[in-house]
Amino acid sequence: MKKGILVFLLILLTVGFSWAAGKAETTGSTEPVVLRLAETHPADYPTTQGDYEFARLVEERTNGRIKIEVYPGRQLGEEKAVIEQVQFGAIDFTRVSISPLAAFAPDFNALQMPYLYRSAEHMWQVLNSPIGDEFLNSLEPSNFVGLSWYDSGARSFYNSVRPIKSVADLKGLKIRVQESALMVGLVEALGAVATPMPFGEVYSAIQTGVIDGAENNWPSYYSTSHYEVAKYYTLDEHTRVPEITIASKISMDKLSLEDQKIIKQAAKDSMDFQIKAWAAYEKVAEDAVIANGNEIYRLPDNAEFQAAMQPLYDALSPDLQKVVEKVRAVGK
Ligand code: GTR
């Protein structure tokens, strides 16, 4: 109870401070407006590099009136808790995977369905089409402002027990997933045991045998050192899950329309930078994991995995099935 009151007071204080900071801009003070961006990855990770570029562009284009401070490495908390804080304005921005965001805006599940995109190019065609903008704009009723998309490659399974060469090999393995109902369903559809868990807890959970493995892209497999404790990596590439940068609608509403426009444009203009940083880091990660002697297995084709995941499509609402059809039609 006491702890609850303390947390409440802290939230009031944080909201109060951000409000005061926001005011500075409208009262013509020369003090910069300082806004905070939460990032789960370390400073050298490509999404964080994109965050820094976004912050740099905003500072440059507002002549220093708005400063975005990037907090990498989960300093402001794990993704789910951070999204909640962005929703009520205690944190101004975050870059997250759309997987945990879908708990707040369920339509986003339609953009992270297994084997949805034919390729990385197809995903980018979709995100850069009006569909991508509709999704960014759809967040406002949930109190977020969708700003931009970042690359996240493809996610695949890794574990410490055995190589996975077919769906049967996944049977009974305890696999960590993001805090996402869709990801729980995906892992269960393959006969494994899904364990939702915050990102920062996965390394020790694999090391101590609480779980057998997890799933992620090359850069995360490498930067988290999960590759050291889970040496079998199967490139089944079950999902491409775009990364997204969102703002708190409460924070944005305190800024002038002109500053909101600058922020939106700067976020979009940081995308190219992030996509290049992603490609470079993906290569570094892959080379380092292979040099470490990990057992990498690429599925000759993913037909078996894809068929096992069909129930997830059947369970989608008719509206989301229509979105899936629209996504599939892009570029055809
Ligand atoms: C990464 C993603 C993070 C986080 C993480 C996870 O690929 O960039 O934002 O969602 O996966 O698995 O928790």
Side-chain angles (χ1 to χ4, degrees):
M1 186 62 195
K2 268 193 185 150
K3 203 177 156 210
I5 295 174
L6 193 69
V7 170
F8 180 69
L9 284 176
L10 274 175
I11 290 169
L12 271 188
L13 270 178
T14 324
V15 173
F17 276 133
S18 338
W19 182 82
K23 269 287 228 203
E25 191 252 351
T26 45
T27 53
S29 152
T30 50
E31 285 295 300
V33 177
V34 179
L35 301 170
R36 300 189 303 163
L37 185 152
E39 169 63 67
T40 200
H41 291 296
D44 63 346
Y45 196 87
T47 54
T48 322
Q49 291 297 305
D51 303 335
Y52 288 131
E53 175 64 3
F54 165 50
R56 188 188 71 76
L57 291 173
V58 170
E59 189 166 349
E60 184 179 278
R61 293 175 187 179
T62 60
N63 298 315
R65 276 185 299 104
I66 300 181
K67 268 193 193 320
I68 298 179
E69 284 177 349
V70 177
Y71 290 82
R74 291 190 289 283
Q75 286 175 64
L76 301 184
E78 294 279 0
E79 284 190 335
K80 188 169 165 235
V82 162
I83 298 170
E84 275 161 10
Q85 295 199 63
V86 170
Q87 196 170 38
F88 62 72
I91 296 177
D92 307 296
F93 300 96
T94 188
R95 189 293 314 158
V96 287
S97 160
I98 67 164
S99 241
L101 184 65
F104 300 79
D107 287 4
F108 273 71
N109 280 324
L111 291 185
Q112 59 154 344
M113 293 298 288
Y115 300 113
L116 172 65
Y117 305 106
R118 295 183 295 279
S119 60
E121 293 68 40
H122 177 213
M123 183 190 81
W124 281 112
Q125 278 178 332
V126 172
L127 298 178
N128 289 326
S129 77
I131 301 177
D133 284 334
E134 274 166 36
F135 268 94
L136 291 179
N137 296 334
S138 74
L139 287 168
E140 298 227 354
S142 318
N143 238 2
F144 304 113
V145 180
L147 296 176
S148 58
W149 307 104
Y150 281 172
D151 205 352
S152 189
R155 297 178 78 101
S156 291
F157 289 106
Y158 49 82
N159 80 96
S160 62
V161 180
R162 55 178 174 252
I164 293 164
K165 298 190 172 173
S166 67
V167 172
D169 294 329
L170 271 158
K171 197 164 174 53
L173 288 184
K174 273 199 200 143
I175 301 292
R176 175 271 175 175
V177 290
Q178 291 154 295
E179 292 174 277
S180 147
L182 185 91
M183 287 309 299
V184 169
L186 186 152
V187 163
E188 285 176 351
L190 296 168
V193 181
T195 311
M197 184 184 284
F199 197 38
E201 293 171 20
V202 180
Y203 181 90
S204 65
I206 300 178
Q207 197 181 33
T208 56
V210 170
I211 53 171
D212 299 314
E215 46 80 57
N216 224 313
N217 47 49
W218 280 110
S220 281
Y221 181 44
Y222 171 61
S223 77
T224 53
S225 298
H226 293 177
Y227 75 103
E228 289 172 0
V229 286
K231 74 169 190 177
Y232 302 107
Y233 192 33
T234 290
L235 300 170
D236 62 292
E237 303 194 332
H238 47 264
T239 48
R240 288 188 180 276
V241 183
E243 312 276 19
I244 189 170
T245 299
I246 55 173
S248 171
K249 187 160 179 330
I250 297 175
S251 307
M252 286 290 263
D253 284 347
K254 285 182 204 143
L255 303 172
S256 67
L257 281 179
E258 194 197 327
D259 284 346
Q260 292 181 30
K261 251 174 91 180
I262 293 177
I263 287 176
K264 287 182 178 169
Q265 193 57 46
K268 290 235 161 163
D269 290 347
S270 70
M271 284 171 56
D272 258 6
F273 184 92
Q274 191 275 343
I275 291 166
K276 286 195 184 102
W278 181 267
Y281 193 87
E282 203 172 38
K283 179 91 184 72
V284 168
E286 182 174 345
D287 289 350
V289 169
I290 290 171
N292 189 54
N294 287 38
E295 260 193 54
I296 315 295
Y297 182 75
R298 184 176 279 282
L299 290 181
D301 75 79
N302 50 36
E304 195 205 358
F305 278 66
Q306 203 168 341
M309 295 183 199
Q310 184 55 37
L312 298 180
Y313 281 91
D314 300 340
L316 282 181
S317 69
D319 280 352
L320 290 198
Q321 292 192 359
K322 278 196 198 115
V323 177
V324 164
E325 276 165 32
K326 264 171 74 180
V327 166
R328 288 204 159 133
V330 171
K332 275 210 163 160

